[in-house]
Amino acid sequence: MVTAIAPPPQTTPDQYLEQEINSDIRHEYRSGEMIPMTGGTPDHNDISGNVYIALKLALRGQAYRTFHLDQRLAIPDRNLYTYPDVMVLKKPITLLEGRTDTVLNPRLIVEVLSTSTQDYDHGAKFSAYRTIAEFQEYLLIDQYQICVEHYVKTNVNQWLLSEYTDADVTLQLQSVDCSLQIAEIYEGIEF
């Protein structure tokens, strides 16, 4: 006799949000499943921190908010809640109804790639991000070598990819008026 294994119980978005308030670790929520988000490597943290600091300084005094690591993003069209490494939102920011801790409207999202997340960040996650009307620009940064993939929305359903592998290049952002030096992104990282 074969015994069927029951699927794990599904968590509702409200249950997830309530559990996340009291949790010691962050979780991504994907259509009823809570996925623990493990800690990043020192290089991952340095790279995301370098980008956050550069953007925060470059956008000072402008109508943007810049967030790093712990800011939750809701993507209702995909039943997804996640924590991008860095996000820039135009003011005023839009919060999920009834929440003060979950944003909806990033213009720019930055993800630092790891071996375990790179396929997801390139595929299903990027697809989910593209359902956000305000989302215009995506940076995927390799933490193991100098390589920055820069996606810019050029039209409805059209994205342009530029790839940078030279530390001496300056990347011009399109969704916000500033630039990032590739060397600055990788400052302190040894390959």
Side-chain angles (χ1 to χ4, degrees), residues 7-38 72 78-83 99 120:
Q10 295 289 296
T11 304
T12 68
D14 288 337
Q15 290 169 330
Y16 159 75
L17 291 167
E18 187 60 35
Q19 289 178 35
E20 199 70 354
I21 290 171
N22 301 313
S23 179
D24 292 336
I25 62 169
R26 296 177 299 146
H27 296 83
E28 184 170 87
Y29 177 86
R30 298 182 202 162
S31 299
E33 186 177 356
M34 290 178 59
I35 315 295
M37 298 184 70
T38 59
R72 184 172 41 246
R78 293 294 174 93
N79 202 16
L80 175 66
Y81 293 80
T82 190
Y83 296 86
R99 305 293 307 183
Y120 177 53

Side-chain angles (χ1 to χ4, degrees), residues 50-70:
N50 289 345
V51 172
Y52 170 74
I53 291 167
L55 289 170
K56 187 78 170 172
L57 292 174
L59 297 172
R60 186 174 30 202
Q62 296 186 43
Y64 298 103
R65 298 278 305 269
T66 306
F67 298 103
H68 186 230
L69 296 177
D70 286 328

Side-chain angles (χ1 to χ4, degrees), residues 83-150:
Y83 296 86
D85 290 324
V86 179
M87 290 186 289
V88 177
L89 288 75
K90 188 164 180 63
K91 294 178 184 176
I93 63 173
T94 304
L95 296 169
L96 184 65
E97 187 176 336
R99 305 293 307 183
T100 61
D101 57 1
T102 307
V103 299
L104 294 167
N105 62 322
R107 289 175 77 100
L108 166 66
I109 297 176
V110 180
E111 296 285 9
V112 179
L113 301 174
S114 65
T115 305
S116 63
T117 65
Q118 64 185 356
D119 290 341
Y120 177 53
D121 288 340
H122 279 102
K125 198 173 202 183
F126 186 24
S127 177
Y129 288 160
R130 291 193 309 264
T131 67
I132 301 168
E134 297 85 355
F135 179 56
Q136 298 175 21
E137 200 159 11
Y138 192 39
L139 293 180
L140 290 167
I141 303 172
D142 193 318
Q143 68 174 300
Y144 308 109
Q145 62 182 342
I146 294 176
C147 184
V148 177
E149 295 174 54
H150 179 205

